Amino acid sequence: EGNTRISGNLTLTLGKLTCTTEAGAARTFTVDGTTEIGPDSGAADQATLTATSEDLLLGSGITSSAYGLYVKQGGTFVGGTGTHTLGSLIVYNNAAAKCTLTSGVTTINGEHGGENYAINVGGSAPTFAHGSGTVTLTRASDTRIRNAGAALALNHLIINHASAVITLASNGLTCAGNMTVTAGEFGTGADKALTVTGHVSITGDLLCNASTVVMGSCIVNASGTLTAPTSSGSFTINSESSSHAFRVSGSGELVNSDGTLTITTPAETRIKMNGTGNLHSLTVNHASCVVFTHTDSAGITVEGNLTITAGQLSTMEQGGSDKNLTVTGATTVSNG
C-alpha cells in the first residue's frame, strides 16, 4: 500500500508481487539484499514480480557472491516503465525463466563477485527481452556481460564510469538502438561480435579486438579512443548520423589496428578525420553510396589500400572545398 523497503532478501517462490496499491497506484520498491523469483522447477509464470512506473531497486551495489536479481525456472520479471537499479542480473538457462526489462532505464551498478558477471543470461532457452529501454552499466571496476546462447540482445547500452572495464564474455552483443561509451572502457573480448543498429558515440574507450563489428554510424568524441578491429575481424558502417557515417573529432583517437573500414551506407554520407590517427584500409561498397571526405584539416590519409567495390568516393567536402587524399597502398576501382 506504500513505498516499501526490505532490508534483507526477497524470495518469491510462488504467487505474484505487484508494485502497485490495490487501487492500482504505482509504488517504489527496494530490496537491499538479493531478490529471487521462481521455484527453480516446473512450469513458467509460477512466481511473478511486476514493476510499474515507479522506481525499483534490487540489490543496488552488490559485489558479493550473489546477484541482485535472480530469475529462475518458473519465475517471471515484468519490467514496466520505471527507473530500475539492479546490483546485477542472472536469468537461468530454462525456457520457463522469463525476464523483460523496463522500457525506461535499468542501471546495473555491481556484479556477482565470484562469477564476475554484471549480466548473465543462461543460454538460448530463457525468454529475455530488452523492453525497448536503456541499460546503463556503472560498475566501478572490471566486470563482464554475456548470453551463454545467442548474442545478448539489448536496446540502448551506456557505459558510464571512469573506472569501468566491461567485457563481452560470450556470443556477442546486439543493440537495436544506440551504444554510448560515456566513460570507462568496453571491450569485445578476443573476437565477440558487436552489432549496433543505431549510432555509436565514444567518449571513453571502445576496444574491438578481432571481432566482427557492424555499426549504423560512429563518432569518436574528444578524449575518446576507438581501437578498431584487426585484419582478422571486420568493421562495417551501414548508415549515418548527422550526415556522417564515421567521424573522429577534436582530440579523439582512432587506433586502426591494420584493419579495414567498409562503408555500405546507401546514401550520401561523410567521413570526417579531425582527431589523431588515420584509416588503415578503406572500402566503399554500395551502389547508392557516395562518401565525401569532410574534414577541417587538409584531407585524409589511408595507410593501406583504398577499394571502391561499388558506389563513389569524392574528395570534395560535401557543399565545401576540395580535400587532399593520400593512399599509401593500392587503389582499386572495381565498379563505381
Side-chain angles (χ1 to χ4, degrees):
E1 282 297 302
N3 297 331
T4 299
R5 178 176 180 178
I6 298 174
S7 61
N9 302 323
L10 169 66
T11 303
L12 182 58
T13 307
L14 297 169
K16 298 180 179 181
L17 179 60
T18 303
C19 301
T20 63
T21 67
E22 193 171 4
R27 293 291 184 261
T28 64
F29 186 52
T30 302
V31 180
D32 291 343
T34 63
T35 296
E36 299 183 21
I37 308 172
D40 201 17
S41 63
D45 303 319
Q46 297 179 72
T48 302
L49 173 60
T50 301
T52 53
S53 59
E54 293 292 331
D55 294 349
L56 182 73
L57 294 91
L58 303 178
S60 176
I62 282 181
T63 57
S64 62
S65 293
Y67 286 94
L69 174 60
Y70 292 78
V71 182
K72 299 182 175 182
Q73 181 179 349
T76 300
F77 176 72
V78 181
T81 61
T83 299
H84 295 179
T85 301
L86 309 179
S88 50
L89 168 66
I90 183 170
V91 184
Y92 277 30
N93 184 19
N94 192 281
K98 300 166 67 175
C99 176
T100 301
L101 300 181
T102 176
S103 61
V105 175
T106 299
T107 297
I108 297 182
N109 59 7
E111 68 165 7
H112 188 291
E115 298 181 356
N116 194 217
Y117 289 122
I119 302 174
N120 185 0
V121 179
S124 57
T127 303
F128 176 80
H130 55 60
S132 298
T134 298
V135 172
T136 301
L137 294 170
T138 62
R139 162 76 172 154
S141 186
D142 296 2
T143 194
R144 302 182 294 168
I145 62 175
R146 75 160 185 172
N147 182 345
L152 179 64
L154 301 178
N155 187 37
H156 302 305
L157 174 64
I158 299 174
I159 311 299
N160 192 16
H161 196 290
S163 301
V165 181
I166 313 297
T167 305
L168 285 178
S170 64
N171 297 316
L173 170 70
T174 65
C175 293
N178 302 323
M179 179 177 181
T180 305
V181 185
T182 304
E185 176 184 306
F186 184 87
T188 60
D191 57 359
K192 307 300 185 295
L194 172 64
T195 300
V196 181
T197 301
H199 181 58
V200 176
S201 177
I202 305 166
T203 310
D205 298 303
L206 177 59
L207 282 68
C208 297
N209 304 298
S211 300
T212 298
V213 175
V214 179
M215 300 176 181
S217 57
C218 180
I219 181 171
V220 184
N221 299 297
S223 77
T225 299
L226 169 63
T227 302
T230 67
S231 58
S232 299
S234 64
F235 185 21
T236 302
I237 301 288
N238 59 20
S239 188
E240 65 175 3
S241 176
S242 301
S243 301
H244 289 86
F246 184 72
R247 179 176 178 178
V248 182
S249 297
S251 57
E253 181 180 5
L254 169 67
V255 180
N256 63 48
S257 304
D258 293 341
T260 298
L261 171 63
T262 300
I263 307 293
T264 62
T265 307
E268 292 185 355
T269 193
R270 299 170 178 172
I271 295 176
K272 190 168 187 175
M273 301 292 295
N274 285 349
T276 302
N278 297 315
L279 297 171
H280 182 68
S281 291
L282 173 64
T283 297
V284 178
N285 189 16
H286 194 289
S288 301
C289 184
V290 181
V291 177
F292 293 90
T293 56
H294 183 88
T295 176
D296 295 335
S297 58
I300 67 169
T301 295
V302 178
E303 297 175 351
N305 302 326
L306 170 64
T307 304
I308 313 297
T309 306
Q312 178 179 320
L313 177 69
S314 174
T315 60
M316 177 177 285
E317 182 180 14
Q318 191 176 24
S321 59
D322 293 332
K323 299 298 179 181
N324 295 331
L325 172 66
T326 300
V327 181
T328 303
T331 297
T332 303
V333 183
S334 302
N335 195 2

